Amino acid sequence: MADDTSLDFIRPGHPLYDGELELRFRVLREPLGFARSDVKFPFENASLHLVAHAGGTVTGCVLFHPEDAHGGRLFQMAVASSLQGKGLGARLVRALEEELRQRGFRHVHLHARANVVPFYERLGYAVYGEPYVEVGVPHRNMQRDL
């Protein structure tokens, strides 16, 4: 991973937000045959958006939607395909978790695609519940105490 990669929390409307949406579309939605319009969630404005960027290009992102005063859901984790497996995703999750701790959150849960369960397990997340299919892909629920 390049040393010139910065991590910043942004909001919808920020100059990097369109790049975040494009990355989420290319990595998470386009391979499943979804339209570009399917990338936004109704709760974008109420969520934390952490993006990795270098030279004005968004190379990774992870979002968090608070569900109560103590926890919420990590979602829309994406890293540019050329950078996957190089530690950027772990860096994003750890930075998000640190911010959440500072804000008083105590736990995080997520819907992990089955193929990335080992990634989240390495970061301390545990599988719970039964497997299920979401957006046409096998998923597992995972959680972690902060």
Side-chain angles (χ1 to χ4, degrees), residues 83-104:
L83 294 174
Q84 290 176 8
K86 299 182 191 229
L88 181 57
R91 189 175 157 204
L92 279 160
V93 171
R94 290 293 183 236
L96 176 66
E97 290 172 345
E98 183 55 37
E99 179 68 18
L100 294 176
R101 274 188 214 94
Q102 289 177 14
R103 292 181 183 218

Side-chain angles (χ1 to χ4, degrees), residues 16-31 36 39 50-54 57-63 76-84 88-89 92 113:
L16 292 171
Y17 182 62
D18 285 344
E20 175 201 315
L21 290 175
E22 180 64 18
L23 179 71
R24 286 162 51 189
F25 171 68
R26 283 188 289 111
V27 173
L28 300 172
R29 292 296 187 243
E30 189 175 37
R36 190 174 298 275
V39 79
L50 178 60
V51 298
H53 58 97
T57 300
V58 175
T59 55
C61 65
V62 62
L63 282 69
Q76 292 290 285
M77 169 79 191
V79 171
S81 55
S82 62
L83 294 174
Q84 290 176 8
L88 181 57
L92 279 160
R113 292 180 184 188

Side-chain angles (χ1 to χ4, degrees), residues 29-140:
R29 292 296 187 243
E30 189 175 37
L32 302 178
F34 284 87
R36 190 174 298 275
S37 59
D38 294 327
V39 79
K40 282 191 182 182
F41 286 77
F43 41 82
E44 293 273 330
N45 289 331
S47 299
L48 285 174
H49 298 245
L50 178 60
V51 298
H53 58 97
T57 300
V58 175
T59 55
C61 65
V62 62
L63 282 69
F64 175 81
H65 181 67
E67 294 172 331
D68 59 38
H70 306 292
R73 178 179 165 197
L74 183 156
F75 71 107
Q76 292 290 285
M77 169 79 191
V79 171
S81 55
S82 62
L83 294 174
Q84 290 176 8
K86 299 182 191 229
L88 181 57
R91 189 175 157 204
L92 279 160
V93 171
R94 290 293 183 236
L96 176 66
E97 290 172 345
E98 183 55 37
E99 179 68 18
L100 294 176
R101 274 188 214 94
Q102 289 177 14
R103 292 181 183 218
F105 289 101
R106 296 199 299 263
H107 52 84
V108 176
H109 72 96
L110 57 93
H111 301 180
R113 292 180 184 188
N115 65 311
V116 296
V117 164
F119 165 79
Y120 287 109
E121 286 177 331
R122 287 192 299 273
L123 294 173
Y125 288 78
V127 168
Y128 68 96
E130 296 302 312
Y132 59 96
V133 174
E134 185 174 84
V135 296
V137 178
H139 276 71
R140 296 303 305 264

